[in-house]
């Protein structure tokens, strides 16, 4: 009797493959920090800040403890007060709106463009009130929001723009990098990001020297010099070990991005050739998409997800409940139907593997598995 073995699982993201190729370089970087015994801020963090700032076409980079804390400290830097309003999207990771609420601010939501999943600039002006302090566009899944009209509205109304670029390092809008267009850009180095550390980490970029100075002050409890506190900040520091690991990975980021882009294009070719009736990501055409996620869409999403998992293919829902319908934001008064594009996306989207090490045969198997289900 012939035994047919089960196919190897295809994970949504394979960080083990990435690490295997970098093991020696990362080990040397970690050993360098351990030998120095400088674990908090210091030269590794300073070097990484300079490298990410340059990569993002910015003058300043301030390393912080996570992407969430990057958003939080950016809002603290503009002195967001209780009752102040920040316009953003309801279709995003919770930290976008959560950081606003933690300071007593009110997130004010504007629906998304259903093709890009980013905030629709056409809805922003109607959401501006005398209490509005900032606009926080999210560059979701690796593609930047339509920044030109957003910046025009912000300038006209005297508002800050804080880019939530957690998923978009290296993404571009008309030749300008994520984090360089608004007053500040906020990045995450969570392990699953295109540039991911060995734990939490984040960064704020800016071209404004006053904002940069204030963020540096805020990340260390507002102290300068040590033990002399000018303002109340927090403990938002990036660890030197994380910076050392991320410095190694940064040198490979463009190569990984190119691989993600090739994989995205291959998916388009494979889905087209198969005649698969599935909605695939749209490229807005105004810049570099880095494909942190490759998100497909189906009105039978949950059935598709179960089918893929049965066939040992990794997939994930980003995000199943839009922020305006989260229990903790019930007091804002939003209801089902307020933001239909976001609500539909939450019910229909599904991320499939697009990581750099993904092979052609694996992609063909993924597309074939989806096509046979349809």
């Amino acid at each position: 009797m012939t035994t047919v073995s089960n196919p190897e699982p295809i994970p949504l993201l394979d960080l083990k493959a990435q690490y295997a190729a970098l093991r020696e370089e990362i080990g040397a970087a970690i050993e360098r920090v351990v030998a120095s015994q400088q674990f908090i801020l210091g030269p590794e963090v300073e070097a990484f800040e300079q490298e990410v700032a340059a990569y993002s076409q910015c003058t300043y980079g301030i390393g912080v403890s996570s992407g969430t804390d990057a958003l939080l400290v950016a809002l603290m830097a503009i002195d967001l007060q209780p009752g102040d309003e920040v316009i953003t999207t309801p279709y995003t990771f919770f930290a976008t709106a959560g950081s606003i609420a933690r300071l007593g601010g009110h997130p004010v939501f504007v629906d998304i463009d259903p093709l890009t999943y980013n905030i629709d600039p056409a809805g922003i002006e109607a959401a501006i009130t005398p209490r509005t302090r900032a606009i926080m566009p999210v560059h979701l899944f690796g593609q930047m929001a339509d920044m030109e009209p957003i910046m025009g509205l912000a300038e006209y109304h005297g508002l800050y723009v804080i880019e939530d670029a957690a998923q978009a390092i290296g993404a571009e809008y008309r030749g300008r990098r994520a984090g360089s267009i608004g007053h500040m850009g906020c990045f995450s180095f969570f392990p699953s990001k295109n540039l991911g550390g060995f734990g939490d980490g984040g960064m704020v970029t800016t071209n404004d020297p006053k904002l940069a100075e204030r963020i540096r002050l805020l990340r260390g409890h507002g102290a300068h010099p040590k033990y002399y506190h000018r303002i109340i900040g927090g403990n938002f520091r990036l660890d030197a070990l994380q910076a050392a690991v991320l410095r190694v990975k940064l040198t490979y980021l463009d190569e990984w991005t190119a691989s993600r882009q090739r994989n995205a294009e291959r998916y388009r070719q494979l889905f087209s050739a198969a005649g698969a009736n599935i909605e695939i990501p749209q490229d807005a055409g105004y810049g570099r998409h880095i494909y942190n996620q490759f998100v497909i869409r189906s009105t039978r999403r949950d059935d598709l997800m179960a089918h893929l998992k049965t066939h040992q293919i990794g997939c994930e829902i980003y995000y199943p409940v839009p922020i305006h319908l989260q229990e903790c934001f019930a007091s804002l008064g939003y209801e089902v139907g307020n933001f239909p594009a976001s609500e539909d996306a939450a019910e229909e989207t599904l991320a499939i593997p697009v990581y750099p090490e993904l092979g052609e045969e694996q992609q063909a198997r993924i597309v074939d598995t989806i096509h046979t289900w349809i």
Side-chain angles (χ1 to χ4, degrees):
M1 178 181 291
T2 301
T3 302
V4 178
S5 61
N6 291 326
E8 286 292 320
I10 303 175
L12 180 63
L13 176 65
D14 189 355
L15 290 176
K16 291 181 179 178
Q18 182 189 91
Y19 175 63
L22 304 179
R23 181 190 299 267
E24 290 187 8
E25 286 183 78
I26 287 175
I30 291 173
E31 176 57 30
R32 184 173 67 240
V33 175
V34 173
S36 75
Q37 289 295 292
Q38 296 185 29
F39 298 110
I40 305 298
L41 299 179
E44 289 287 345
V45 173
E46 291 172 6
F48 181 57
E49 290 172 335
Q50 293 168 7
E51 290 160 4
V52 170
Y55 185 81
S56 302
Q57 301 175 347
C58 292
T59 308
Y60 306 100
I62 304 93
V64 295
S65 41
S66 68
T68 299
D69 286 339
L71 295 168
L72 182 64
V73 77
L75 291 166
M76 293 172 70
I78 66 169
D79 197 26
L80 192 78
Q81 294 295 308
D84 286 350
E85 295 175 352
V86 179
I87 295 171
T88 191
T89 163
Y91 187 61
T92 178
F93 180 61
F94 181 80
T96 309
S99 60
I100 299 165
R102 280 185 62 186
L103 296 176
H106 291 171
V108 175
F109 299 118
V110 169
D111 211 354
I112 59 170
D113 177 337
L115 296 180
T116 67
Y117 304 116
N118 289 323
I119 192 168
D120 185 350
I124 292 177
E125 188 154 28
I128 296 173
T129 76
R131 296 305 305 269
T132 306
R133 290 289 313 285
I135 305 170
M136 188 180 282
V138 180
H139 307 320
L140 202 63
F141 303 144
Q143 180 165 227
M144 288 185 66
D146 191 358
M147 292 300 293
E148 187 174 328
I150 293 172
M151 294 305 297
L153 285 168
E155 183 176 357
Y156 181 79
H157 291 279
L159 306 175
Y160 287 99
V161 174
I162 300 171
E163 299 176 58
D164 184 340
Q167 299 179 12
I169 188 166
E172 294 180 1
Y173 177 87
R174 306 194 194 285
R176 300 178 67 183
R177 286 275 167 100
S180 71
I181 299 176
H183 297 86
M184 288 170 281
C186 300
F187 295 91
S188 169
F189 304 123
F190 186 78
S192 65
K193 298 298 188 289
N194 290 26
L195 180 62
F198 282 7
D200 280 312
M203 188 167 293
V204 182
T205 56
T206 184
N207 290 307
D208 186 321
K210 292 183 179 179
L211 285 173
E213 181 182 4
R214 185 166 173 83
I215 293 164
R216 287 195 192 96
L217 193 63
L218 285 163
R219 76 172 172 185
H221 291 293
H224 185 74
K226 190 176 181 179
Y227 301 130
Y228 291 81
H229 300 264
R230 292 161 50 188
I231 55 177
I232 297 174
N235 182 7
F236 305 134
R237 300 170 303 198
L238 178 65
D239 289 344
L241 282 168
Q242 295 296 344
V245 170
L246 289 162
R247 290 184 69 197
V248 172
K249 290 191 172 190
L250 181 60
T251 63
Y252 294 92
L253 183 56
D254 283 338
E255 177 184 329
W256 293 338
T257 296
S259 294
R260 286 173 177 269
Q261 292 169 331
R262 282 194 296 271
N263 289 342
E265 181 56 31
R266 187 178 296 121
Y267 270 135
R268 290 189 170 90
Q269 295 170 0
L270 290 169
F271 277 119
S272 177
N277 184 25
I278 201 84
E279 188 172 331
I280 61 176
Q282 301 294 310
D283 191 325
Y286 47 56
R288 186 188 194 214
H289 194 324
I290 66 162
Y291 291 99
N292 177 246
Q293 301 292 346
F294 190 91
V295 175
I296 61 175
R297 190 162 181 164
S298 170
T299 55
R300 298 164 55 209
R301 187 267 314 278
D302 291 350
D303 290 340
L304 174 57
M305 179 173 63
H307 178 73
L308 288 171
K309 290 186 175 181
T310 297
H311 288 78
Q312 301 188 77
I313 295 171
C315 54
E316 187 63 70
I317 299 172
Y318 299 103
Y319 298 92
V321 181
I323 304 298
H324 70 288
L325 299 181
Q326 294 285 351
E327 181 180 352
C328 62
F329 283 127
S331 62
L332 296 177
Y334 293 113
E335 299 176 347
V336 173
N338 285 158
F339 305 108
S342 296
E343 293 166 25
D344 288 348
E347 292 181 356
E348 298 174 1
T349 56
L350 185 69
I352 60 175
V354 74
Y355 57 89
E357 298 82 9
L358 188 67
E360 293 185 35
E361 291 185 2
Q362 291 174 306
Q363 284 193 270
R365 179 180 146 204
I366 292 166
V367 172
D368 183 62
T369 303
I370 293 171
H371 179 54
T372 56
W373 170 81
I374 293 170

